[in-house]
Each structure stands twice: as structure tokens, then as C-alpha cells.
């Protein structure tokens, strides 16, 4: 799981934004499945995991960017991209390659590439479109997974499900393929 996060960070740094976004959107599915009794993902598990672990990271990351003297003047702001909206976007993007879901409360969800403007628009609404800073969104999900992992990685449930998690095997998987790196 940690290697997946490292590769997601690497894809962000190298400007591979499709890969970054697609991967980030799968994290709540993977984590929700790995934290469940049966090891399977559902829409409900996705939304619950996102609401608990990813959505609140918006304020955490925002507070890191604000000078200490200004933090006392900050009020709690809510990330408008809730679990339902994220799940619907994930479904439309990963399964149809589309950015619009017929049940979405937004006419369109737009991810803005890093460095494309002098200012950052993150979770801003223009007309009926939600604009999200792509790097910030990915970082929120990465931080959420890291926090979640600290809590669950030694649990029996996580360990049981992690046995079936896709991994890189530097010397292959015996008796199938040996002597070469594989992912399986």
C-alpha cells in the first residue's frame, strides 16, 4: 500500500495527472475493502471511508499553509466535495471515462492542473461546476490513507485482507514466474 502511495506521489511530481487522478480516486475503494470483514468494496464503504479519512484533510492541509498568527482568525470550512459526489465522479471517470455523472449535484467537476495558474482554486464553484486543484485533492487522499494506515495496519482484519493485496515481487512469484520483477 505504501508503494502505491509513493508511486502516486511520483506520478504527481512528473506531471502524469491522468494517472494521479485515476489512482487517487481508487484509494477509498481499496482502503474501504481492506478495512472490511469480507475484503470487498462497495459504494457505501467508499463513501464512508472518504468522509472519515479524506474529506477532513482539506482543513488539515489548508491550515499548514496559513501563518501561525492568522490561524486564530480561521473558521472551519467544509470541503463541498462530499463522499457521494466523489463516489459518483469516480464511477463516471473510471468506468466510462466521463467527467459528468447523471446523478451528480454538479454539472461538471473540473480538476485544475498544478502550475497552470498563479492562484489556486480548490473546491470553488463557478456557475454549476466544482473546480478542484488536482494536486491538493491527491495529497488529501494520500494523507488520509497514511493516517488510516497508522490506525489499522496492525489489525487482524487489515492483515488478513493485505495478504490478497496486489504487491510488487522483486524476484517473481514461485512457481509461476521467478527471477524477474512482477506485480501480482
Amino acid at each position: 500500500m505504501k508503494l502505491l502511495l509513493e508511486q502516486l506521489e511520483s506520478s504527481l511530481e512528473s506531471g502524469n495527472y491522468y494517472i494521479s487522478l485515476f489512482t487517487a480516486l481508487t484509494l477509498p475503494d481499496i482502503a474501504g475493502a481492506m478495512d472490511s470483514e469480507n475484503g470487498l468494496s462497495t459504494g457505501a464503504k467508499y463513501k464512508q471511508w472518504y468522509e472519515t479519512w479524506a474529506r477532513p484533510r482539506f482543513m488539515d492541509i489548508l491550515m499548514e499553509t496559513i501563518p501561525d498568527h492568522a490561524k486564530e482568525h480561521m473558521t472551519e470550512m467544509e470541503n463541498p466535495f462530499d463522499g457521494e459526489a466523489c463516489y459518483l465522479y469516480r464511477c463516471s471517470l473510471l468506468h466510462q471515462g466521463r467527467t459528468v455523472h447523471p446523478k451528480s449535484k454538479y454539472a461538471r467537476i473540473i480538476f485544475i492542473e498544478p502550475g497552470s495558474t498563479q492562484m489556486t482554486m480548490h473546491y470553488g464553484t463557478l456557475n454549476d461546476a466544482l473546480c478542484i486543484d488536482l494536486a491538493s485533492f491527491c495529497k488529501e487522499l494520500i494523507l488520509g490513507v497514511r493516517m488510516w494506515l497508522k490506525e489499522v495496519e496492525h489489525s487482524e482484519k487489515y492483515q488478513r485482507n493485505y495478504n490478497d493485496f496486489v504487491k510488487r515481487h522483486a524476484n517473481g512469484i514461485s512457481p509461476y514466474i521467478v527471477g524477474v520483477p512482477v506485480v501480482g
Side-chain angles (χ1 to χ4, degrees):
M1 188 75 171
K2 291 176 183 173
L3 180 57
L4 178 61
L5 296 178
E6 290 168 12
Q7 289 190 7
L8 171 53
E9 289 171 324
S10 180
S11 72
L12 267 175
E13 291 169 11
S14 63
N16 289 303
Y17 300 127
Y18 274 103
I19 292 168
S20 301
L21 182 58
F22 278 61
T23 303
L25 287 167
T26 66
L27 293 175
D29 263 326
I30 294 167
M34 292 184 67
D35 203 18
S36 71
E37 288 300 326
N38 65 3
L40 301 176
S41 180
T42 65
K45 289 175 188 176
Y46 184 102
K47 294 171 200 175
Q48 176 62 40
W49 190 93
Y50 178 84
E51 287 290 337
T52 303
W53 295 102
R55 190 174 182 206
R57 303 298 70 87
F58 163 65
M59 275 305 291
D60 295 345
I61 292 174
L62 178 63
M63 292 304 281
E64 288 177 9
T65 65
I66 296 173
D68 287 336
H69 71 278
K71 288 181 182 178
E72 66 186 71
H73 303 291
M74 285 294 299
T75 58
E76 186 74 22
M77 294 188 300
E78 186 174 74
N79 172 351
F81 198 45
D82 62 22
E84 176 74 11
C86 188
Y87 180 72
L88 292 174
Y89 185 81
R90 162 243 178 251
C91 290
S92 62
L93 186 68
L94 298 181
H95 297 295
Q96 286 87 38
R98 296 180 180 188
T99 60
V100 179
H101 192 283
K103 294 181 182 175
S104 178
K105 61 185 170 186
Y106 301 103
R108 189 165 205 100
I109 296 173
I110 300 166
F111 283 85
I112 302 165
E113 289 188 6
S116 57
T117 65
Q118 298 248 339
M119 60 174 245
T120 299
M121 179 181 288
H122 191 41
Y123 299 126
T125 305
L126 293 174
N127 298 324
D128 53 1
L130 180 64
C131 300
I132 302 171
D133 182 74
L134 191 144
S136 297
F137 175 75
C138 291
K139 289 174 184 175
E140 290 163 11
L141 283 157
I142 291 166
L143 179 59
V145 171
R146 287 206 167 107
M147 292 172 76
W148 167 78
L149 273 173
K150 282 182 184 176
E151 261 196 42
V152 303
E153 69 183 327
H154 298 293
S155 72
E156 184 273 327
K157 186 173 23 177
Y158 176 86
Q159 289 297 316
R160 182 179 64 245
N161 289 323
Y162 187 72
N163 286 333
D164 294 327
F165 182 72
V166 63
K167 297 173 192 76
R168 181 178 185 273
H169 302 270
N171 293 309
I173 302 174
S174 179
Y176 309 105
I177 297 175
V178 293
V180 297
V182 298
V183 175

